[in-house]
Amino acid sequence: LNEESGLSWIKNYSKCAYSTDPGTVCDLSQEPVSHRYLISIYWALTTMTTVGYGDITPVSPNEIIFAIIEMLGGAALFAYIVGNMASLVDSLDARTKLYKEKMEAVHEFMHQRGIPSTMRQRIKQFYDYSFHRNDLFLEERILRELSTGLRSDVAMYIHKDFIEKVPFFEGRDRNFLSTLVMKLKPLQFRAMQVIFEEGDTGHVMYFLSKGSVVIRVKGKIVCRMEAGSYFGEAAMLVENERRTTCAQAETPVELFMLSKTDLHDCISGFPEIAQDLVQIACDRLTQLDAFTKQMEIGWS
């Protein structure tokens, strides 16, 4: 607004460009309503999009309409590019975002339930382990969505290295192995952390993937398990049997856990495998019993 002349952009606008007389004053308010609306829209878009008014501005209605279309197209293209770049950056960090959301929920749960600090640390380590394994609860969900045949092939490929480590799996039926690996649950224990105690009810067995585990009876080491070994099956195969040993991680270990129900599902159609598993468990119990008697003789 020019305070001296009382003119504003509404009263003195682009139509003056048609005049050859420098003293001509153009009054936009005298123009048709449609033209005034067109000028107003042009000015608003130019201002909002921060395009700037420039040294060369549109004058005729056709030029103004063309400039409006160009500004709208440019703004849409800019928004599209920025939006896609933001989506790309967000997708690159999707796992970290998922992990943070999960941990926020876990921390809230631990706070509300008053979980002690030592147990909180163990819970956090479990989720850290799952995250670094690229697992984070997605593997099982994804496998469930696949067809039966494809799910079996993918599960066998994922656990290929682990299967090769376990002597008990050598030469076993592929259907048995594919069923079993889809039921395994990964676990991690710190060095010197107890996996189970003597007297515990045996609901699960363990397959050792990495690290070393010692088996103790009354505090004395009776054997050491290395990668490819499995343990804890004896208490599962005998009804209401309790653990007769204590298992403790000697080093940081990675295990796969198999529940009693899942084990029975796996061996139900393979009686020869079930027989081999029971025989090995009986041999171990016999050896353990002999070792225990020797200890008792030594103490007497």
Side-chain angles (χ1 to χ4, degrees), residues 97-107 127 136-137:
K97 182 180 178 181
L98 178 63
Y99 174 74
K100 289 180 178 178
E101 291 176 353
K102 173 65 71 175
M103 290 310 299
E104 286 176 2
V106 171
H107 283 303
Y127 282 100
L136 208 62
F137 316 108

Side-chain angles (χ1 to χ4, degrees), residues 133-151:
R133 280 190 75 254
N134 244 356
D135 191 1
L136 208 62
F137 316 108
L138 292 176
E139 182 177 299
E140 185 177 353
R141 187 190 312 167
I142 293 171
L143 288 175
R144 280 201 306 265
E145 294 173 352
L146 301 177
S147 63
T148 304
L150 182 58
R151 180 167 63 246

Side-chain angles (χ1 to χ4, degrees), residues 44-79:
L45 281 174
T46 305
T47 303
M48 287 190 300
T49 57
T50 67
V51 172
Y53 304 102
D55 297 328
I56 301 175
T57 57
V59 176
S60 68
N62 290 336
E63 291 176 338
I64 295 172
I65 291 173
F66 178 79
I68 290 173
I69 294 172
E70 286 295 308
M71 282 188 287
L72 289 173
L77 180 61
F78 180 76

Side-chain angles (χ1 to χ4, degrees), residues 217-231:
V217 175
K218 301 187 184 305
K220 289 187 175 293
I221 298 176
V222 296
C223 67
R224 180 173 283 102
M225 299 287 185
E226 303 293 343
S229 304
Y230 66 91
F231 55 94

